[in-house]
Amino acid sequence: MNPSAFINPRVYARSGDYAGSAAFGDDANDIVIFDDLVTIAAAGLVADTDGYITIDLTSLPVLRPDTIYGFEVTTKTAALGPAVSAMGSAAAASVDDPQWQKGYYTQGGPPQTWNAWSAAGRLAFRLEKLGYDTGVAPGSAIAPAVISPDRALKKSATFSMAIPATRISRPSGDVQIPAATVTFDEPASVNRSGTLNLAQLPSAGIVPVLPTKDQFLSSITLTRTSDSVVLAQGTDYVAYLDQGAVGLPSAGSAVPVSYVATARAQRYDIVSVNPKTKAVVVTKGTDRFTRDPEYYRPVLPAGNIELYVAYVTWHGVDLIPVMHHRNYVRDDRKAEVAIRQSYNRSCLPNTLKALRTGSALKIIPYGDSITAIGGGAFTANGSTRDLASWLSDMPADTKALFPTYDGPAGVGAHIRIGWAWVLKAALERRYGSALSVLNYGWGGTTSGNNNPDASHYGGLWPDRIAPVLAEGPGLMLLAFGMNELGDANTYANIVSIIGQAKAVGQEVIVITPPRCNEIGRGTVYDAWRKTHDDLVLAALDTGSAYVSTFELDGKGFEGAVARSPQSMCTMNLYNHPWPYELADIGNLIASIFD
């Protein structure tokens, strides 16, 4: 007998008009919507001893009445081969309780004796929707769910917003919440004065220049130190007041100036409802003059249900509906996301086997600066990657939230905020496998075979990709695209990189870039969306896994992370994310393995 080491529950979905007789999993059109692997110990079982296991199916999408579902349980050896187990059944506590029908029980009599369960066999049964809904209205919510017409972000140039009537669906009965108008406090303002050296601003990544790092300025006056002349905006200097930046209109020596400015704070508030009193309330966050308000969100009042998150600036309010999202997934996308995650896992058999058997696994991030969290080199990790300087413009109180590490760049010079580190931590918590991160990111690069300035090498540059391929089998996190938004060559480049990686035994997860900050950039969204789609298509056409950041922060999906487009990629207010955004993407990657 092969001893069981794992229990493998699986759920199949099949069209409701299916007329055949194939077992679930044996028909080519069956879709796996749930696939888990649980160790015997984690299930609370002991070898050769009777016991019960509860299988957590909370990640299943909403079951549909026009679909047939099949539940299957098999057991596997430590090497993931078939194992022989035994199974029994238990009597129902009460046939009047519809909940027992959700389990595998007999309907009467004493528990049955244990019977051998062959390695080739499997416990499988078909779920009929009316079978598990007996005595309960079909479609009733198990957990409270908010039914609201609001899905898209709404903007207001004032501090008052009308929100529509909503309904909270609960097992004990629905609660109707009437339409309401919510009012937000105008953010604080403060007068600033001091001196600075006025220099030319970069063409991209324009960030605050005052020593206080204020982002939103409603006014500024500059006086040249040498002759006390008040400088003229548009002639003597350019100003990007929503980025807190002023600078010379062209190249030249820095000009010492004194300044007087009015800085405006920003913050995140929560709009929630008390389901007992039906009161809709605004909970105010902390006013921040720097670009880090998401780290100072308020706490949801106990017992309330969150409806919206509001990003409040002196210009008004971005109202982001969050009630439709749970664990990054919008409520109308559960089935599609479940199917995609099943597809993703099917693309990663060697990675999953390594994780489940505790074997060593290399995680190989390969991409641009968002992967590197720094610069680049031909060898992995080293003094140019995962640099604490990524947070250099972050206020000291927020920066202190993130530990630093000693390394090749010096004492405390490194930080582990990239999505590869988030994934590593998540997988180690779940599997306890021996995982290593080999960061091959390189700032300022594209996916192409190019070397524009003798220091930045594209992803297909032979000398750059060679050491990546020399790592042999592992899990590549492939994340190019931000430096080539809208480029026609990205698809072909990514397909080529994936082909070379697979040839040396690497499995690939393609990661689309985060959405750019859109302050002053009305056209960047369409280019970002095109590159996102090209990357997803490249993954699908090569049978590779992928993570779609569109479902984190695309239009209509901002509620997944409760973040305004004006508050995205805040490291440089353009295309570099700070830790929260990186963690969201890392957690989204990790969800493939849930």
Side-chain angles (χ1 to χ4, degrees):
M1 175 180 290
N2 297 326
S4 299
F6 295 98
I7 297 171
N8 181 201
R10 180 175 287 181
V11 181
Y12 296 94
R14 150 183 312 179
S15 173
D17 58 7
Y18 179 79
S21 59
F24 285 100
D26 290 346
D27 187 276
N29 293 316
D30 286 346
I31 299 172
V32 178
I33 61 171
F34 179 86
D35 188 10
D36 199 6
L37 197 68
V38 183
T39 65
I40 296 294
L45 300 178
V46 178
D48 301 320
T49 304
D50 294 359
Y52 295 87
I53 175 175
T54 299
I55 299 171
D56 183 358
L57 298 176
T58 55
S59 64
L60 274 177
V62 175
L63 303 184
R64 300 161 56 100
D66 58 353
T67 301
I68 302 171
Y69 298 93
F71 287 60
E72 171 190 278
V73 181
T74 59
T75 55
K76 297 185 181 296
T77 65
L80 299 183
V84 176
S85 299
M87 67 177 179
S89 55
S94 168
V95 295
D96 295 326
D97 179 3
Q99 297 301 313
W100 71 264
Q101 296 187 42
K102 296 179 181 179
Y104 177 70
Y105 300 92
T106 61
Q107 294 190 30
Q112 305 301 305
T113 57
W114 292 96
N115 298 304
W117 182 5
S118 73
R122 57 192 179 187
L123 168 63
F125 54 95
R126 171 172 163 162
L127 176 67
E128 296 287 355
K129 183 172 178 61
L130 294 180
Y132 71 87
D133 269 338
T134 301
V136 183
S140 65
I142 295 173
V146 178
I147 313 301
S148 168
D150 274 351
R151 289 192 182 275
L153 180 150
K154 299 191 298 185
K155 299 180 74 69
S156 172
T158 70
F159 298 99
S160 181
M161 297 280 279
I163 62 174
T166 59
R167 175 166 56 91
I168 300 175
S169 181
R170 304 184 303 175
S172 58
D174 289 358
V175 177
Q176 300 292 336
I177 307 297
T181 298
V182 292
T183 302
F184 305 90
D185 289 345
E186 185 173 352
S189 63
V190 64
N191 293 325
R192 306 288 197 194
S193 61
T195 61
L196 59 85
N197 289 320
L198 197 64
Q200 185 183 19
L201 296 174
S203 58
I206 298 172
V207 296
V209 300
L210 300 189
T212 47
K213 301 299 182 184
D214 302 304
Q215 178 183 341
F216 287 99
L217 303 176
S218 59
S219 66
I220 190 167
T221 300
L222 301 180
T223 302
R224 193 161 51 213
T225 303
S226 63
D227 55 10
S228 299
V229 170
V230 176
L231 301 183
Q233 183 177 332
T235 302
D236 298 320
Y237 69 95
V238 294
Y240 299 90
L241 296 184
D242 286 346
Q243 293 156 276
V246 291
L248 296 176
S250 59
S253 300
V255 177
V257 297
S258 61
Y259 64 86
V260 176
T262 300
R264 304 281 186 155
Q266 56 181 307
R267 68 171 187 274
Y268 277 98
D269 293 350
I270 289 176
V271 180
S272 65
V273 60
N274 184 313
K276 295 180 180 179
T277 66
K278 302 183 182 180
V280 177
V281 299
V282 174
T283 306
K284 184 178 176 180
T286 302
D287 278 329
R288 300 288 293 183
F289 290 93
T290 48
R291 54 192 191 274
D292 59 349
E294 64 181 321
Y295 297 92
Y296 299 91
R297 298 172 187 257
V299 176
L300 180 70
N304 279 23
I305 296 174
E306 191 174 26
L307 300 177
Y308 303 88
V309 163
Y311 177 61
V312 187
T313 72
W314 75 289
H315 293 300
V317 179
D318 284 357
L319 195 63
I320 308 162
V322 298
M323 76 286 284
H324 299 295
H325 280 84
R326 187 181 297 272
N327 297 328
Y328 301 121
V329 179
R330 204 171 69 182
D331 52 16
D332 62 338
R333 297 281 295 169
K334 290 181 179 179
E336 289 83 353
V337 170
I339 292 169
R340 179 169 71 236
Q341 297 294 55
S342 177
Y343 161 79
N344 281 335
R345 288 188 288 272
S346 74
C347 298
L348 304 169
N350 295 332
T351 298
L352 286 166
K353 184 171 183 178
L355 292 171
R356 291 165 177 172
T357 58
S359 303
L361 176 67
K362 297 176 181 178
I363 299 176
I364 308 171
Y366 192 46
D368 50 38
S369 55
I370 310 175
T371 295
I373 312 297
F378 289 120
T379 55
N381 302 329
S383 62
T384 61
R385 299 185 176 99
D386 293 307
L387 297 179
S389 57
W390 192 264
L391 307 181
S392 60
D393 267 356
M394 182 174 274
D397 53 348
T398 309
K399 191 188 304 184
L401 300 173
F402 306 99
T404 58
Y405 301 87
D406 301 342
V411 176
H414 296 273
I415 199 161
R416 296 173 183 170
I417 60 171
W419 47 58
W421 292 105
V422 175
L423 176 63
K424 179 178 185 289
L427 295 181
E428 286 177 341
R429 283 193 300 269
R430 175 162 187 180
Y431 295 100
S433 300
L435 306 177
S436 59
V437 173
L438 299 169
N439 192 344
Y440 279 98
W442 199 317
T445 60
T446 71
S447 59
N449 183 0
N450 60 339
N451 177 18
D453 58 9
S455 62
H456 295 79
Y457 300 84
L460 281 173
W461 187 266
D463 291 342
R464 180 180 175 190
I465 197 172
V468 179
L469 302 176
E471 296 288 356
L475 175 63
M476 175 185 282
L477 305 182
L478 183 56
F480 287 100
M482 186 60 90
N483 295 319
E484 52 196 292
L485 296 180
D487 192 282
N489 300 310
T490 301
Y491 168 85
N493 293 341
I494 296 299
V495 168
S496 178
I497 292 172
I498 292 173
Q500 294 181 63
K502 286 191 170 187
V504 298
Q506 292 176 11
E507 294 176 335
V508 179
I509 301 177
V510 175
I511 304 163
T512 64
R515 182 174 171 181
C516 297
N517 190 288
E518 294 179 16
I519 293 177
R521 298 182 184 89
T523 61
V524 72
Y525 181 83
D526 289 340
W528 169 74
R529 187 173 57 180
K530 175 190 178 343
T531 294
H532 167 277
D533 293 350
D534 286 348
L535 291 168
V536 170
L537 186 60
L540 292 170
D541 287 352
T542 56
S544 302
Y546 69 94
V547 165
S548 167
T549 53
F550 190 90
E551 292 196 65
L552 283 183
D553 44 31
K555 289 182 179 178
F557 291 86
E558 294 95 345
V561 291
R563 189 179 295 119
S564 164
Q566 298 183 78
S567 189
M568 295 174 180
C569 281
T570 46
M571 183 272 198
N572 65 353
L573 287 176
Y574 179 41
N575 62 1
H576 281 175
W578 261 346
Y580 260 153
E581 295 173 90
L582 293 166
D584 285 331
I585 297 172
N587 288 325
L588 192 63
I589 301 168
S591 72
I592 293 174
F593 303 92
D594 288 345

